[in-house]
Each structure stands twice: as structure tokens, then as C-alpha cells.
Amino acid sequence: MDTYGISVKDTGAAGDGIVDDAASIQAALDSGAPRVFIPFGDYLIGQGLLINSDTALVAHPHARLRFADGSGRGEQDFLLTNRDHTKGNANITVEGGLWDGNNPGNPRGPDQPGSYTGVMINFTNVMGLTLRATRLLDAESYFVRLGKVSDFLIEDINFEINNFRPNQDGIHVSGYCEDGIIRRLHGLGTLTPNDDLAAILADDALHRAQNLNGAFNGPIRRIRVTHLRADSCHSFVRLLSVDHPIEDIEITDVEGGCRCCAINMDAARECRVTLFEDADRPDGVGSITNVRVADMNVHKASDTSHQPLIDFRTHADDFRIQRFRRNMTRDVSPCLLYTSDAADD
């Protein structure tokens, strides 16, 4: 592999799984080198890593970066995030490696300011982001969270869970994200991910711990999601709009099992924390416009959820589905295909 730039070994990283390598890796990231290489090894990370603009962080496929016990202390702590959430960053690439959130050693804090979010990899206010060819293990909440991110590519991501937690979304896209491609996501094993494989949420309960310091309520536009695979994720794709629009979305090539929905547009009615009361919104909620769904071959992997595979309980305009197949030979809970109380075409 071409290793122009700098190796974290050059700045003192041991890669033995015992020594805390956070400072050494951060020194490499702060060196100004356009490319930082993490060789094969086991890297203990005792403080979250910050990546700067115009930087590519490239890890050997079998390099393991493990969040040390107790490293998730507050809402500023992530295994990896961009350097400047306020002014923003640009042109960031992260490739390769096994990123381990070590959720048994880093429990999420309560729903109050300052709490540890449980988010493993976080990008806030970034223009030009690539995340590819990574294995992500044991996030305490979201594996990857995006907020105010534009012009992004996320591809070839494998999710693995040994220790299950609520809200373990795979890729969580929050407000003010636009012009992105999410492709080739794979949930490996039973109940993986334990929430949505791809979550596109223009609205959410921002006071909850997992949404602190990086999630936003705002419009989401022009996102393409393709090639999703899972044995028994919670839902393949969630589109959540209550007050802010979601526009111009393409979802294609989805295959496998889900415990809840293939496409969930319930406006969080089934979530632990609701965003609104139906009685206060007699005309319904949300604005989801220009969505194309095609080539889905899915089945219910559990009989514990009463929700249909496609759940429309949000205002939607110009929403089209083509070549949708429910795999009845594998389905364990036949039920309604969809509900459409608030959907328009």
C-alpha cells in the first residue's frame, strides 16, 4: 500500500493494545501530513481523536482502534470526530480499520446536557466527507452520526455488535445534510444493527443523550441510499419528518430481514420518546417529497413488531415504489404491507 504521508508509528504509537496510543495518533493527525496511515495493530484510544480538514486517515484493514474504558465521559467525547464543529471542516477521508466503541466500558449518560452520547464516529459541519471500507463494532448508540454535512460518500461499511444497546443506528443522518451517497452497508449477525441501518431524520428529540453535540433539526435533501444488507436489523431505512422537510431521496437494492420495517415513516410514534401528540396535529405531520424506492427483497425476521414492512404515517408527496418483493418463504410474521393514513401520491 502506498504510505506517503506519515505513519502513527512515526509519532510513537505502540499498537500493542496496552499503551494508550491516543496522543501519538493525534500527533500524526496534527502534523499537517495530508495522509495518516495506521498500520496493523491493536490501538487503545484513551481520548477521542480529532481529524482536520484536507486529511485522509487510512487504517490497515485489520488495525483495531478501541475506545478505552471510561473514555466516553461527556458530550464532547467520540472515538473519532472532526476538529472544528463551529467553523467547520472540509475534505476529510477515513478509510479502513476496525473501530470499536467498547460500549461495556463506556455507558451512555442520562438525557441531560453534558452527558456522554454513546455516538462512536461523529461528523458535524463538514463539506466533503468520505468514509469507506470500515468495520464498526459495539457503538453505545449511533455508529456514525452526521449533522450539517454536505457532499459526502459513505460506502462499504460492516456493522458488528457483541453488546446490544438501544438506538444503535448504523448511519444516522440528521438535519442540514445534503448531497450524499450511502451505499453497501452490511449488518452482520443477529439483531445488527439494533436500530435503523440508515436513518434519515430531519427531526428528533434533541435533548436525548445520543443527540447532544451534533444532531440538528432541519431539512435533508438529495440523499441516495443503495445496497443495504442485513439478517435482522430493526429497520432498513427510517425517514423521519415532523416539522422539517426531507426531499429528493433514492432508496434502491435492499435485501434481507428486518424486525420492524423496511421503510419506517411513522414520525416516531413508536419510539420511546415521542416528538408530538397526534391530538395536537389534526392535519398530520411531516413533509417528505420526491422519494424513489426500487428493488427491495425483504422479510420480517421477527414476530415481535406489529408495524408493517412499509409504514406511511407522514405527509408524503411524489413517493414511488417499484419492484418491491416480500420474501414470504423467509417471513416469520405476515401482516399488512403498508399503511397510508397520511401519504399522498
Side-chain angles (χ1 to χ4, degrees):
M1 180 181 293
D2 183 5
T3 58
Y4 79 90
I6 189 171
S7 167
V8 298
K9 295 287 188 177
D10 297 332
T11 52
D16 61 3
I18 300 172
V19 175
D20 183 353
D21 284 322
S24 297
I25 296 175
Q26 193 61 57
L29 289 169
D30 291 341
S31 68
R35 190 171 189 268
V36 175
F37 180 60
I38 302 178
F40 175 83
D42 190 354
Y43 299 85
L44 190 66
I45 308 299
Q47 183 172 345
L49 303 174
L50 304 174
I51 188 168
N52 300 294
S53 297
D54 303 310
T55 302
L57 177 60
V58 181
H60 186 281
H62 299 293
R64 182 184 186 121
L65 294 98
R66 183 176 186 269
F67 216 22
D69 289 353
S71 298
R73 294 175 290 271
E75 65 179 60
Q76 305 291 333
D77 298 319
F78 308 98
L79 181 53
L80 176 68
T81 190
N82 57 296
R83 166 72 72 177
D84 195 332
H85 291 189
T86 302
K87 293 182 179 179
N89 292 103
N91 305 321
I92 290 174
T93 296
V94 178
E95 180 176 341
L98 168 61
W99 298 78
D100 181 355
N102 179 26
N103 54 17
N106 292 286
R108 193 179 335 177
D111 292 338
Q112 62 187 35
S115 290
Y116 175 53
T117 66
V119 175
M120 186 165 70
I121 295 177
N122 176 80
F123 295 104
T124 299
N125 198 5
V126 177
M127 181 174 65
L129 169 70
T130 298
L131 174 65
R132 64 158 59 99
T134 61
R135 294 168 59 202
L136 305 180
L137 172 66
D138 280 349
E140 173 67 6
S141 63
Y142 310 142
F143 284 85
V144 178
R145 186 180 69 181
L146 310 181
K148 297 185 179 179
V149 175
S150 62
D151 188 20
F152 62 89
L153 171 63
I154 297 177
E155 63 181 359
D156 299 308
I157 310 296
N158 290 338
F159 303 98
E160 304 174 33
I161 303 177
N162 293 324
N163 302 285
F164 296 95
R165 301 287 191 267
N167 311 116
Q168 285 174 313
D169 286 347
I171 305 300
H172 183 99
V173 179
S174 76
Y176 302 102
C177 288
E178 60 184 25
D179 299 309
I181 296 173
I182 300 171
R183 63 190 180 196
R184 296 192 294 275
L185 305 184
H186 299 86
L188 303 179
T190 303
L191 307 181
T192 304
N194 202 27
D195 212 322
D196 310 312
L197 191 54
I200 300 174
L201 277 64
D203 295 287
D204 207 346
L206 297 186
H207 70 282
R208 301 200 67 195
Q210 67 268 21
N211 293 323
L212 298 174
N213 191 31
F216 304 92
N217 290 342
I220 298 176
R221 299 185 172 100
R222 298 180 301 279
I223 308 295
R224 182 186 177 199
V225 180
T226 187
H227 191 98
L228 306 184
R229 300 289 187 270
D231 295 323
S232 59
C233 62
H234 180 270
S235 293
F236 279 103
V237 180
R238 178 187 285 272
L239 301 176
L240 177 50
S241 166
V242 175
D243 296 308
H244 296 88
I246 296 175
E247 300 173 349
D248 306 321
I249 307 295
E250 181 179 307
I251 302 165
T252 61
D253 188 15
V254 178
E255 185 171 336
C258 57
R259 306 190 308 280
C260 183
C261 300
I263 300 177
N264 189 345
M265 291 170 48
D266 69 356
R269 289 178 175 88
E270 308 298 329
C271 290
R272 296 184 180 192
V273 176
T274 57
L275 301 183
F276 63 93
E277 296 293 336
D278 279 305
D280 298 331
R281 304 287 188 103
D283 296 326
V285 298
S287 175
I288 297 179
T289 306
N290 188 23
V291 177
R292 299 291 180 269
V293 178
D295 300 310
M296 300 188 80
N297 182 4
V298 295
H299 62 273
K300 283 271 192 172
S302 170
D303 60 2
T304 59
S305 171
H306 68 276
Q307 286 182 256
L309 276 176
I310 301 180
D311 192 345
F312 284 166
R313 284 182 280 170
T314 304
H315 286 305
D317 182 66
D318 194 12
F319 194 111
R320 301 185 184 185
I321 301 175
Q322 297 177 300
R323 298 182 298 279
F324 181 96
R325 177 175 181 262
R326 183 169 192 158
N327 187 343
M328 299 304 294
T329 62
R330 301 191 64 186
D331 202 289
V332 302
S333 180
C335 66
L336 292 175
L337 175 63
Y338 64 88
T339 60
S340 55
D341 295 341
D344 302 314
D345 187 0

